[in-house]
Amino acid sequence: MLFFAKSAGRGWSAVVGLLLGTGGAATAQTPPPNAPARHIVLADVTVRGRRPQAVGTYHGAYIRGVRPLTPGQRCVVWLASPDTSQTFGLQALTVPLHRRYTAGRLQISFYARGAGPELLGPLLSAQPVVVAPPDSIARRRTQVRLDLRPAALPLPAAGVYVVLECLPTFPDETYLRRVAVPRRAKKDGSTIVKPYILTRRGTDTTTIWTSVDDFPKLRQSPAGYTASTWMRWGPTLPYRRESAQSFRGKAVQAFDTVLLLELQPR
């Protein structure tokens, strides 16, 4: 048993008393008469807590382009474990955005790795997190940060797949299609078009036109040849991993959607 006594000018010091248990009861050991005093010196011990760690897909720079996410589209980002010999819990997730979005809802969920050719395995959380359009934050270069501690989600040894999906703005709203409307003509004869998302609410037959610019826009970072990001451009389309491509005869590197996942060792 440790007894703590406070000494002036030296803070807390520890005095060790040894108790022996006999027959379920503890009694103090009485030293023999005229026995020399014994001094026990304890080595200095420093207790350190397990420091939080972070993994992410920021590769040192943002690119100028952003990744618009509209209803029906999914972005999947794989985040690896920093140490497979340890176990971690998910603490927080930060999603950088280009600016405030006023249409759509950002749904975020966490999956384990799938078996065989399947990209996504079991869902780690019972309910995904849905972030409605924020109205009180800055318009440009903001971010969404989720506190994951109440859910107590574990980090699988094979890493976690973070799924970002855009839902219509209202629960009773149905996605119809995407259209491109000519906006104006350039001097060279080409036309600038503006994309819109068409939706309907409930049983109303009125079509709602919403600019793609109003939906969430995710930040991107150059990843090199192969990225840790997959896109599903439609509900019936397969997932496609982002990779280096050729555009107009020039090599274009792959880009990752930027996420930052904070972990707590267990």
Side-chain angles (χ1 to χ4, degrees):
M1 178 177 294
L2 294 180
F3 299 93
F4 294 93
K6 192 171 183 181
S7 59
R10 294 190 178 182
W12 291 96
S13 61
V15 180
V16 179
L18 180 60
L19 298 181
L20 298 179
T22 305
T27 57
Q29 182 180 8
T30 303
N34 303 323
R38 297 179 61 189
H39 299 277
I40 302 176
V41 180
L42 299 180
D44 293 336
V45 177
T46 302
V47 179
R48 295 186 177 91
R50 296 187 176 184
R51 295 183 177 180
Q53 298 189 35
V55 292
T57 49
Y58 178 72
H59 305 295
Y62 285 113
I63 68 170
R64 295 182 60 185
V66 295
R67 191 188 304 278
L69 201 62
T70 58
Q73 296 180 350
R74 266 188 173 190
C75 176
V76 180
V77 181
W78 174 66
L79 298 172
S81 172
D83 186 353
T84 56
S85 64
Q86 294 190 47
T87 57
F88 297 90
L90 307 188
Q91 290 287 101
L93 177 72
T94 300
V95 184
L97 300 174
H98 175 60
R99 62 183 180 185
R100 182 182 68 169
Y101 60 95
T102 58
R105 290 172 296 155
L106 188 61
Q107 178 175 278
I108 304 173
S109 50
F110 302 86
Y111 287 80
R113 172 185 262 177
E118 295 293 330
L119 179 64
L120 303 179
L123 183 65
L124 297 182
S125 55
Q127 295 292 335
V129 179
V130 178
V131 183
D135 296 321
S136 59
I137 58 178
R139 290 181 176 273
R140 298 184 63 85
R141 305 195 185 282
T142 182
Q143 63 185 18
V144 172
R145 189 175 188 276
L146 304 179
D147 184 3
L148 305 177
R149 290 174 296 180
L153 302 179
L155 176 68
V160 63
Y161 288 90
V162 182
V163 178
L164 309 172
E165 184 172 3
C166 186
L167 305 177
T169 307
F170 302 98
D172 64 344
E173 192 173 5
T174 304
Y175 168 77
L176 298 178
R177 63 185 182 277
R178 177 181 177 137
V179 297
V181 178
R183 190 173 181 180
R184 66 177 184 270
K186 292 183 178 181
K187 295 181 179 180
D188 59 2
S190 59
T191 303
I192 298 177
V193 297
K194 185 173 182 179
Y196 287 86
I197 300 298
L198 306 187
T199 58
R200 285 179 183 167
R201 293 197 62 182
T203 59
D204 192 355
T205 58
T206 303
T207 301
I208 304 173
W209 291 59
T210 307
S211 172
V212 169
D213 290 336
D214 296 337
F215 290 94
K217 292 184 177 181
L218 308 176
R219 303 298 304 276
Q220 299 181 95
S221 185
Y225 181 76
T226 303
S228 298
T229 300
W230 287 258
M231 287 297 301
R232 193 185 71 179
W233 299 105
T236 60
L237 298 178
Y239 290 99
R240 177 172 293 182
R241 190 174 192 174
E242 299 291 283
S243 59
Q245 301 176 9
S246 178
F247 179 73
R248 294 181 179 178
K250 296 182 180 180
V252 179
Q253 61 181 329
F255 303 107
D256 266 324
T257 294
V258 178
L259 295 180
L260 177 65
L261 182 63
E262 298 172 37
L263 307 172
Q264 179 64 47
R266 291 181 173 179

